[in-house]
Amino acid sequence: MTYDYLVVGAGLAGATAAERLASELDAAVLVVDSRPHIAGNAYDPVNEAGVRVHLYGPHIFHTSSARVVEYLSAFTVWRPYEHRVLADVDGRHVPLPISARTIEALYGLRLNQAETAAFFAGRREPHQLITNSEQAITARVGRELFDALFAGYTRKHWGLEARELDASVCGRIPIRSNRDDRYFSDRFQLMPADGYEAMIGRMLDHPRIDVALSTSFTQAADRTRFHHLIYTGPIDAYYEYRHGRLPYRSLRFEFETLDRPQAQAVGVINYPGPQPYTRVTEFKHLTGQHHPKTTIAREYSLAEGDPYYPIPNPDARALYGKYAARAAREANVTFVGRLAEYRYYNMDQVVASALAAVERIAAERVA
Ligand code: FAD
């Protein structure tokens, strides 16, 4: 069969592109994914104990884009969820991101907003130029909070010292002088009521969309004819690594189901200390599920494995630039999503990027 579009990847990027192409342009679309399931890294199956888990790490939906929420609302009912994170500092659990509450939990000081701002100001380290993540934090809150909450976590997560990482990596983490202990401050903080797989399933449930799972791009390209390719896989793999492999940090999850309804006070606890894992997630906080048992996942950072986090440094960016230059010359291939654009994208940004990509395709068809 001949399709108008072959979409590689059934994650949020591929599903958004496929849905828009089918609904807006009345195109015939084939979506393939090499995995045996849809939803990409947002996949959230129910495990053998009956607890819904996020197989590729905790996924919390948050956005300030009314457009993205409006678009996805056609495919899901939402459940309000404000994510909260604690950091384990020598056995004490203190709120993250750093706020007046963190200072209270660490030092027993109950400060108002002005006093908290003065607390940070009194500890700041002056830097002429902020070029790395260590400077980005010490310039705002000083060395002691950096050592307690950032140094060890960054080392475990990235396998690098904070001073070896771009300033933007830790620099984008909020630091608050008020008592707001929500992890995100976006306008919309919601979770799809029956999960991401169900939401993405409804996006793909369209008479003009066929879905083939456990099917790679190469297998699909051998068997099918198509006019235009939407590619959401790794861009270096598409070009057969001809400029070299783009570097990624990988993860391993260790799941454990406990015979009690709750394991920890909040959805995620970070471990900046000597533990070999970086954080522990308890999924029921995120999903709102009621169940007599609970499942947690300990997260370990790895140098090798499936691609999770693009490495934020100038060499990696330069290498991506070579692939991006090739991609820009393609006439009938559109690269969209976290792997194809080699960017740490949140889910809302992926949806926005896919919506914009289809708008460009539609505009080119009219022109
Ligand atoms: P993916 O979801 O990775 O989908 C790409 C799909 O393409 C995959 O299913 C893959 O199997 C398939 N594929 C690749 N190559 C091929 C090929 N050659 N042939 C066939 N199929 C192929 N975002 C948030 O907004 N909130 C969060 O809390 C959050 N938490 C995260 C936690 C972790 C640990 C990580 C790593 C990311 C998190 N994200 C979060 C980001 C989120 O995962 C991404 O924004 C989103 O999954 C990207 O969707 P995508 O479709 O671009 O990629």
Side-chain angles (χ1 to χ4, degrees):
M1 157 146 192
T2 300
Y3 290 91
D4 299 314
Y5 293 88
L6 171 63
V7 176
V8 174
L12 263 173
T16 303
E19 190 283 328
R20 285 293 78 199
L21 291 166
S23 297
E24 277 284 303
L25 305 186
D26 191 30
V29 184
L30 172 63
V31 180
V32 299
D33 203 300
S34 44
R35 289 172 172 165
H37 60 75
I38 61 164
N41 272 16
Y43 181 50
D44 52 355
V46 168
N47 67 13
E48 59 293 341
V51 181
R52 187 175 299 287
V53 297
H54 293 180
L55 213 59
Y56 304 98
H59 277 67
I60 297 110
F61 186 79
H62 57 99
T63 185
S64 292
S65 166
R67 183 177 181 225
V68 168
V69 173
E70 190 188 337
Y71 171 67
L72 292 175
S73 296
F75 311 102
T76 189
V77 171
W78 299 100
R79 184 180 75 81
Y81 171 68
E82 289 183 332
H83 190 50
R84 284 182 170 75
V85 175
L86 296 171
D88 179 294
V89 179
D90 302 324
R92 263 178 306 166
H93 286 178
V94 309
L96 281 182
I98 293 177
S99 71
R101 285 183 197 269
T102 317
I103 303 309
E104 186 175 352
L106 272 177
Y107 302 106
L109 294 171
R110 196 179 160 90
L111 306 178
N112 64 28
Q113 193 161 347
E115 290 164 339
T116 308
F119 181 96
F120 296 149
R123 282 159 179 77
R124 271 181 203 139
E125 284 185 1
H127 300 290
Q128 293 234 305
L129 198 63
I130 294 180
T131 56
N132 64 52
S133 273
E134 179 175 317
Q135 292 168 336
I137 298 299
T138 54
R140 289 195 286 167
V141 295
R143 177 117 340 232
E144 195 170 305
L145 286 166
F146 169 78
D147 283 342
L149 296 166
F150 289 91
Y153 191 87
T154 308
R155 190 179 302 124
K156 284 196 279 185
H157 184 81
W158 290 106
L160 293 170
E161 297 298 323
R163 65 175 174 276
E164 298 173 279
L165 280 172
D166 276 7
S168 62
V169 179
C170 292
R172 62 173 163 253
I173 298 169
I175 287 171
R176 303 179 183 135
S177 45
N178 61 21
R179 298 187 66 77
D180 184 357
D181 65 344
R182 297 171 309 158
Y183 198 68
F184 302 113
S185 39
D186 297 82
R187 184 171 155 211
F188 303 100
Q189 304 193 28
L190 308 157
M191 292 290 282
D194 51 1
Y196 295 104
E197 186 189 12
M199 177 178 82
I200 292 170
R202 285 188 282 267
M203 294 167 78
L204 294 171
D205 183 15
H206 188 286
R208 299 283 279 160
I209 300 177
D210 290 336
V211 179
L213 297 178
S214 304
T215 305
S216 71
F217 167 47
T218 333
Q219 289 167 327
D222 281 350
R223 289 183 213 151
T224 343
R225 292 159 66 87
F226 55 92
H227 297 302
H228 191 121
L229 174 65
I230 310 279
Y231 187 83
T232 78
I235 190 166
D236 54 350
Y238 180 85
Y239 288 111
E240 295 169 335
Y241 309 106
R242 68 186 60 180
H243 301 297
R245 274 181 192 266
L246 284 167
Y248 280 94
R249 195 75 183 149
S250 191
L251 295 174
R252 175 173 73 82
F253 299 96
E254 184 182 271
F255 291 86
E256 186 182 357
T257 296
L258 305 169
D259 209 359
R260 59 178 193 268
Q262 194 179 323
Q264 58 190 39
V266 293
V268 170
I269 298 185
N270 282 8
Y271 287 85
Q275 300 81 357
Y277 42 86
T278 51
R279 58 178 183 170
V280 176
T281 299
E282 183 179 20
F283 297 100
K284 282 167 65 185
H285 291 279
L286 280 52
T287 60
Q289 186 181 9
H290 296 279
H291 195 286
K293 295 186 181 187
T294 192
T295 301
I296 58 167
R298 291 182 198 87
E299 196 167 318
Y300 299 81
S301 283
L302 304 171
E304 303 289 327
D306 286 346
Y308 275 95
Y309 295 106
I311 303 288
N313 69 27
D315 288 350
R317 262 198 308 278
L319 181 54
Y320 169 67
K322 293 185 184 172
Y323 288 112
R326 280 184 180 273
R329 294 196 293 271
E330 301 279 359
N332 292 314
V333 189
T334 303
F335 294 87
V336 61
R338 69 178 189 105
L339 300 163
E341 298 178 69
Y342 193 63
R343 280 183 61 171
Y344 183 83
Y345 261 146
N346 278 320
M347 291 181 285
D348 61 321
Q349 296 170 307
V350 163
V351 171
S353 179
L355 291 174
V358 175
E359 273 167 12
R360 282 193 301 273
I361 289 171
E364 277 162 24
R365 274 174 40 140
V366 173

